[in-house]
Amino acid sequence: VEECDDSNTQSGDGCDASCALEAGWDCSGEPTTCTEICGDSLVVGDEGCDDGLLAVGDGCDASCLEEPGWDCTGEPSQCVEICGDSLIVGGEECDDGLQVAGDGCDASCLEEPGWDCVNEPSQCSEICGDSLIVGGEECDDGLRVDGDGCDANCMEEPGWDCVNEPSQCNTVCGDDIIVAGHETCDDGDAQPGDGCSDTCQIEPFYACDGAPSQCVCTVFVTEAGGSTQNGQSWSSAFSSVQAGVDQ
């Protein structure tokens, strides 16, 4: 007994060569017209997939066609996101067209810590101020301010050295750079006794100028054998300094 007859003896179109109905198809009429049954977990005819559902956004749409950005195999179809195709689908957080780590979007198409990714394909940029040092950042102290060693773009400022996460920044004494508010001189070394101390502070009886600092002693020996500091007698100048130390 014929179950169908579509006027041909080809199989794979819903009505096989013996005029029997094929699984996954719905056939009716004379001559028989057959259409694929989407949602029955069988992949037949022009179906690209069939996951047993009639939903969208899971890789296999309501017409049993593969959705862009997915790869579906098996019966019922199991669909997985294609990472590296520049499309963000399913559980992907980003897709920059690559499958490499360290650029903000990792090999599994998840955002890496310290990055923010937008658009398709994903464009990822470092998050300055999150205390993580990634990409082209040289430092990140959790702030976005200038003047503390790590600037508002997470770059080390001249005269500073930053380490750790979050970054801890300290001035570099001996680098010929005077950091305002922290150093009063910098003569290119960290040796005391030359006018600029090992913490880059001007030493007593010296005046320093420029960067690198040029320091000169302000105590002078007179022809009479005495000494003066800016017009003061040596004993007066020494007494003034000593009084400051005693305090």
Side-chain angles (χ1 to χ4, degrees), residues 117-132:
C117 301
V118 296
N119 300 328
E120 287 182 324
S122 296
Q123 296 172 317
C124 301
S125 57
E126 304 91 334
I127 302 172
C128 182
D130 65 350
S131 300
L132 299 176

Side-chain angles (χ1 to χ4, degrees), residues 27-107:
C27 301
S28 62
E30 291 183 317
T32 303
T33 301
C34 299
T35 57
E36 302 91 335
I37 303 172
C38 183
D40 64 350
S41 300
L42 300 175
V43 182
V44 299
D46 291 330
E47 293 179 331
C49 57
D50 195 317
D51 57 3
L53 304 172
L54 292 173
V56 296
D58 60 358
C60 188
D61 70 15
S63 299
C64 285
L65 297 175
E66 273 191 11
E67 296 177 288
W70 295 83
D71 181 42
C72 302
T73 58
E75 288 182 324
S77 296
Q78 295 179 320
C79 302
V80 295
E81 304 92 334
I82 303 172
C83 181
D85 64 349
S86 301
L87 299 176
I88 303 173
V89 299
E92 294 179 330
E93 297 176 347
C94 56
D95 196 316
D96 58 3
L98 306 172
Q99 284 187 288
V100 297
D103 61 356
C105 188
D106 70 16

Side-chain angles (χ1 to χ4, degrees), residues 205 217-222 225-235 237:
F205 307 121
C217 182
T218 58
V219 176
F220 305 99
V221 177
T222 66
S227 301
T228 63
Q229 182 199 29
N230 297 332
Q232 288 182 292
S233 68
W234 168 256
S235 59

